[in-house]
Amino acid sequence: MVVKPAEGVSVIVKATHGCNLGCGYCYTHPNAEKGVMDQGTLENMIYKVASYNHSSRGVDETNFVWHGGEPLLLGVDFYREAVRIEISIEDHLFDNEVQTNATLVTPEFLDFFEQHHFKVGVSMDGFAATHNANRPYANGQPSFDDVFASLMALRERKLTSGVLCILNKNTLPHLEEIYEFLRERGISAKVNVQFPAGRALDTKLDISPAQFGRAMIKLFDLWFYDAREPTIDIDPFAEILYNLGLARNTEHRLESPMGCNSRNNCINSFISVVPGGNVYPCGRFAGESAFYMGNINADSMEAIMSSKPVLLFQQRHTQGVQSCAPCEYKPICNSGCADQAYLMRGSVLEKDGFCPGYKALFTHIEMAVRKELGGETHARPSAK
């Protein structure tokens, strides 16, 4: 029997949905709240989640992921106030991460992030041509040069380990060029597929599950068979290798696979709080009234964590998606992302709409590793 360690609730904080870019695949819901998070909501969120993690989860550490929109639009003083509140809570640790488009990084932000040990994730879609096609400024001007300069400044201070890159029709034809661009500069990357929400419904940049699977297989081969030094990390490949290794090892039982999309009962680990304090299962559901969990100002965390969306996600966890039952990869996939199931199949009780692509990728990775390493599946050493 595997004893799972206690785990707290992490918060994806969308303190603003505003943004200075005009990304063609922005998934922000049309009903997403306007404005910015005020001090009262900020205090309630930090105090209530920390207290809940301590009293109900037995955990004395809380993770905040400051997201958006573009979180740096709020200015450095907003984050100084957040840190002040965190420090005021005795005997509790806080881990802070920011996911930014990096166009607003200033020396003041760099000093602040370094002083308070913030981890910084940067969204950058490959090299200049592919990035600018996906992620121009709101006025249509290219953003790549500003983003890349900030990335280098962040990396110089060891505040970031890589970039988030979106796979869609703009990046799909250029996978080799993107990989070479990143590898030559030692930039690790996490690759996410574009999903059908927000502006992406109008820009028609989405790819099919089959295209997704073929593209990820191609990218895996570029990475896995690249013997050059230094190596870079390309996620989710390391996560998949780790999950496959445990799933195939009879001495272990895979309690919680690595990776957000594969997480078993993710609502037990993540919530998202938006500017006015409304709470949703994760940032992707923000604005979806069916998945409203409560308000951090008006409701207790206990009430929020027993709301109807939580029960629905738990049903997905306990009963499972029936069509996934015979699949050999269910232990490492758990039917994929609930939001992608909702967007593409109409219900969180269905499997991820990109399932065929993932299954093709899992099969390819397992066969490649068995051939290369004589039957043993394990993760490649991290380059981080």
Side-chain angles (χ1 to χ4, degrees):
M1 177 180 179
V2 175
V3 179
K4 192 175 181 180
E7 182 178 43
V9 171
S10 296
V11 186
I12 301 166
V13 188
K14 289 185 170 287
T16 178
H17 285 112
C19 189
N20 61 332
L21 295 191
C23 302
Y25 53 72
C26 178
Y27 63 82
T28 300
H29 195 280
N31 296 331
E33 293 180 16
K34 308 301 182 184
V36 300
M37 184 175 288
D38 62 27
Q39 182 172 341
T41 302
L42 182 65
E43 289 181 349
N44 282 333
M45 177 184 68
I46 295 173
Y47 283 125
K48 284 187 176 183
V49 176
S51 176
Y52 177 80
N53 280 340
H54 174 78
S55 60
S56 298
R57 297 292 181 89
V59 174
D60 290 320
E61 182 170 359
T62 298
N63 172 243
F64 287 106
V65 182
W66 305 94
H67 212 286
E70 172 45 47
L72 300 196
L73 281 171
L74 296 168
V76 71
D77 286 343
F78 177 87
Y79 297 98
R80 286 198 178 101
E81 180 62 15
V83 169
R84 183 197 66 78
I85 297 167
E86 292 174 353
I87 292 173
S88 73
I89 302 175
E90 296 182 356
D91 302 321
H92 199 90
L93 300 175
F94 292 89
D95 183 59
N96 292 288
E97 305 174 40
V98 174
Q99 184 63 39
T100 175
N101 65 36
T103 61
L104 300 174
V105 173
T106 62
E108 188 178 21
F109 264 124
L110 290 170
D111 291 342
F112 174 81
F113 291 151
E114 187 172 27
Q115 179 184 356
H116 296 288
H117 310 290
F118 274 54
K119 303 182 188 73
V120 184
V122 174
S123 296
M124 189 180 83
D125 286 355
F127 56 95
T130 53
H131 175 91
N132 288 330
N134 270 347
R135 303 182 61 80
Y137 280 108
N139 63 6
Q141 293 300 305
S143 68
F144 177 82
D145 289 346
D146 294 337
V147 173
F148 189 76
S150 293
L151 175 65
M152 294 298 100
L154 288 161
R155 195 165 73 160
E156 184 177 352
R157 300 206 192 192
K158 298 180 171 56
L159 293 169
T160 189
S161 58
V163 298
L164 176 64
C165 184
I166 297 299
L167 180 59
N168 65 4
K169 282 183 179 176
N170 284 333
T171 52
L172 184 66
H174 303 285
L175 291 180
E176 290 187 38
E177 297 165 88
I178 290 172
Y179 178 78
E180 287 299 323
F181 176 86
L182 297 174
R183 198 205 67 78
E184 288 174 6
R185 291 157 181 79
I187 302 171
S188 293
K190 178 177 176 59
V191 179
N192 282 351
V193 64
Q194 176 180 306
F195 53 93
R199 195 177 297 145
L201 292 171
D202 300 321
T203 52
K204 308 300 182 184
L205 294 173
D206 57 302
I207 60 176
S208 69
Q211 287 176 308
F212 164 67
R214 290 193 295 269
M216 293 300 283
I217 287 170
K218 180 177 182 178
L219 190 58
F220 173 81
D221 286 347
L222 288 170
W223 173 76
F224 187 71
Y225 295 109
D226 190 347
R228 296 170 292 175
E229 295 292 340
T231 60
I232 61 172
D233 286 342
I234 302 291
D235 285 334
F237 300 142
E239 294 171 349
I240 293 170
L241 285 165
Y242 173 84
N243 293 340
L244 279 170
L246 285 189
R248 298 303 189 230
N249 189 334
T250 56
E251 296 179 2
H252 295 82
R253 181 160 59 87
L254 194 58
E255 279 288 328
S256 184
M258 290 181 64
C260 179
N261 284 7
S262 302
R263 192 135 189 142
N264 205 356
N265 199 18
C266 60
I267 204 169
N268 193 51
S269 304
F270 297 98
I271 59 170
S272 183
V273 181
V274 298
N278 288 345
V279 182
Y280 298 90
C282 83
R284 293 185 173 191
F285 286 96
E288 291 280 1
S289 59
F291 295 94
Y292 170 77
M293 297 169 65
N295 185 283
I296 202 70
N297 295 311
D299 301 308
S300 69
M301 277 295 294
E302 287 74 14
I304 288 169
M305 295 306 294
S306 59
S307 59
K308 287 184 178 179
V310 175
L311 300 178
L312 185 63
F313 272 67
Q314 289 175 346
Q315 181 181 346
R316 187 178 200 261
H317 166 57
T318 57
Q319 296 183 10
V321 175
Q322 294 306 309
S323 60
C324 295
C327 180
E328 63 177 312
Y329 294 113
K330 187 179 183 302
I332 71 164
C333 171
N334 288 305
S335 302
C337 175
D339 180 62
Q340 288 173 181
Y342 173 71
L343 291 172
M344 300 173 75
R345 297 180 184 271
S347 171
V348 298
L349 301 180
E350 295 291 336
K351 60 186 175 183
D352 190 322
F354 286 101
C355 169
Y358 279 113
K359 189 167 184 178
L361 177 62
F362 296 154
T363 303
H364 179 82
I365 289 177
E366 189 160 37
M367 290 177 64
V369 173
R370 289 184 181 278
K371 180 179 179 181
E372 191 75 12
L373 302 177
E376 183 180 359
T377 306
H378 60 78
R380 174 180 178 168
S382 173
K384 293 179 181 177

